[in-house]
Amino acid sequence: MRLSIITISALVCLAGCSVQAPTGGPAQGAVTIGFIVKQPEELWFQHEWQYAQQCADQYGFKLIKMGAPDGEKVLSAIDSLAANKAQGFVICTPDVRLGPAIMAKAKTYGMKVFSVDDQFVGADGQFMDVPYMGISASQIGRQVGESLYAEFKKRNWPVEETAACAITFDELNTVKERTDGTFAALTEAGFPAERIYRGAEKITDVPAAFDAANIVLTQHPEVKRWIVFSVNEEGVLGAIRAMEGRGFTSENVIAIGIGAGIGFMEFEKTQPTGYFATAVISPKRHGFGTTELLYKWIKDSVEPPKDTRTKATIATRENYKQVKQDLGIE
Ligand code: GLA
């Protein structure tokens, strides 16, 4: 029997060729990944998206970016990702207690989940066993405290005229650990704990921090010089704006934030503000890094590490451009 050319090539193909997808359908092995964030208006999250997109462009997969400020929006975002044939998503959840609901929904669609920034908490109050990348929160908080104290000493401020304003949000572990770390470092260095005044913000953004700081300022009109710390750059910025409203300037405010966004914008102003330094964290590690790990998990079944903690570098007006360059962030 003579085999036709077509039959031969079909046999060869069975042995070694990859099968082509029918025209019009998704290409065989095509990967689609979602990236859901809790506060899309915050620069940190926009930068995470930007680096996640760089990852998608580099590896050639599709990235769907979504903002979800509450539980209902998170669950409908996951439905919509499923409709778009996504095999998984990276998420910074608007509420860590949504972890079990998010995992249950993802499971119904067979999707892989990678949590970023804010770690899921289970019904038992324990962190969930879901791959996570977050900042080394306590350690970074301590770096902030040490740098604040060093600058306070350098300026020779009399302690009896100085107080610290802490804008806190204790409902979320990764941010509570930051302000607790700063508190610990300040007091261990010798700053009196009773001169650290806390203002709890309702959400981690500038307007909420502005409101929280105004309460602290109203309660303490006697304070002449302020040290400021918070959970992120937004918290510190809100406090600085409240202080400016009462006549405080870079002369009598030392503030250090944690982030990689609006703090830099303060440094770009010709007139210095109370924003003295930023503990620079990397949206590239968090955006590109998480997306890359998830992609390899989907594509090549490479299990990602369960818990990754990233570091910070303190940057001031003087060296922030260099620090950005060293971290490869724009
Ligand atoms: C939390 C904060 C954000 C940002 C990230 C960094 O999600 O709300 O502002 O600091 O952590 O991991």
Side-chain angles (χ1 to χ4, degrees):
M1 196 185 99
R2 269 186 61 215
L3 291 173
S4 72
I5 303 268
I6 293 172
T7 320
I8 291 170
S9 65
L11 285 172
V12 170
C13 219
L14 276 177
C17 300
S18 67
V19 181
Q20 291 297 305
T23 331
Q28 178 94 7
V31 172
T32 299
I33 287 177
F35 202 116
I36 305 174
V37 302
K38 62 175 181 179
Q39 282 166 289
E41 70 290 350
E42 187 179 314
L43 270 181
W44 171 258
F45 297 110
Q46 291 171 18
H47 289 154
E48 279 186 338
W49 273 347
Q50 176 192 334
Y51 291 109
Q53 188 61 55
Q54 274 187 12
C55 180
D57 295 345
Q58 182 176 317
Y59 286 96
F61 60 87
K62 187 174 168 197
L63 184 76
I64 302 177
K65 307 187 258 296
M66 298 169 125
D70 60 44
E72 203 189 316
K73 297 214 171 58
V74 169
L75 298 181
S76 69
I78 300 171
D79 287 332
S80 148
L81 287 173
N84 281 287
K85 309 225 166 358
Q87 296 94 337
F89 55 91
V90 178
I91 182 166
C92 177
T93 173
D95 184 339
V96 289
R97 290 162 306 180
L98 288 168
I102 293 169
M103 293 313 293
K105 184 139 227 43
K107 201 172 163 205
T108 62
Y109 293 126
M111 285 182 184
K112 294 188 163 59
V113 182
F114 200 112
S115 57
V116 69
D117 300 320
D118 301 357
Q119 193 170 18
F120 292 167
V121 172
D124 56 1
Q126 302 295 309
F127 292 120
M128 290 175 70
D129 189 23
V130 175
Y132 170 69
M133 185 186 288
I135 67 168
S136 314
S138 304
Q139 190 199 326
I140 293 171
R142 281 182 167 274
Q143 277 175 271
V144 170
E146 284 155 16
S147 304
L148 283 170
Y149 193 79
E151 186 62 19
F152 157 74
K153 277 288 171 200
K154 194 174 154 203
R155 294 192 194 184
N156 275 318
W157 283 2
V159 72
E160 60 283 2
E161 292 183 0
T162 308
C165 173
I167 304 300
T168 58
F169 186 78
D170 286 353
E171 291 85 338
L172 179 60
N173 188 266
T174 175
V175 302
K176 181 179 188 305
E177 283 185 354
R178 302 173 196 183
T179 44
D180 285 356
T182 306
F183 184 96
L186 274 177
T187 50
E188 280 165 26
F191 197 84
E194 64 280 8
R195 298 194 68 80
I196 302 178
Y197 305 129
R198 295 165 61 95
E201 54 181 354
K202 291 203 176 71
I203 183 175
T204 52
D205 67 11
V206 177
F210 180 84
D211 291 346
N214 264 318
I215 295 170
V216 173
L217 292 171
T218 304
Q219 285 168 345
H220 297 286
E222 75 287 357
V223 176
K224 298 201 168 63
R225 296 176 174 83
W226 285 104
I227 284 172
V228 183
F229 62 99
S230 183
V231 306
N232 57 13
E233 295 172 303
E234 286 72 14
V236 159
L237 248 296
I240 290 174
R241 294 290 100 92
M243 287 170 184
E244 286 168 353
R246 293 171 192 243
F248 289 94
T249 66
S250 62
E251 296 292 301
N252 37 38
V253 176
I254 307 167
I256 303 184
I258 298 171
I262 51 173
F264 295 142
M265 287 154 77
E266 287 294 293
F267 295 153
E268 268 145 35
K269 293 180 176 168
T270 32
Q271 186 68 28
T273 69
Y275 201 93
F276 173 69
T278 296
V280 185
I281 52 178
S282 173
K284 186 173 184 181
R285 274 301 305 282
H286 287 226
F288 194 111
T290 53
T291 311
E292 185 178 41
L293 288 168
L294 178 59
Y295 173 71
K296 292 188 171 164
W297 191 14
I298 291 168
K299 186 87 173 32
D300 309 320
S301 304
V302 180
E303 288 269 342
K306 274 282 149 71
D307 195 334
T308 309
R309 304 294 168 133
T310 60
K311 296 197 172 347
T313 312
I314 301 282
T316 61
R317 243 172 193 266
E318 276 64 50
N319 68 345
Y320 76 99
K321 288 192 178 136
Q322 186 60 47
V323 170
K324 279 173 83 174
Q325 202 176 316
D326 294 347
L327 291 171
I329 57 178
E330 285 144 32

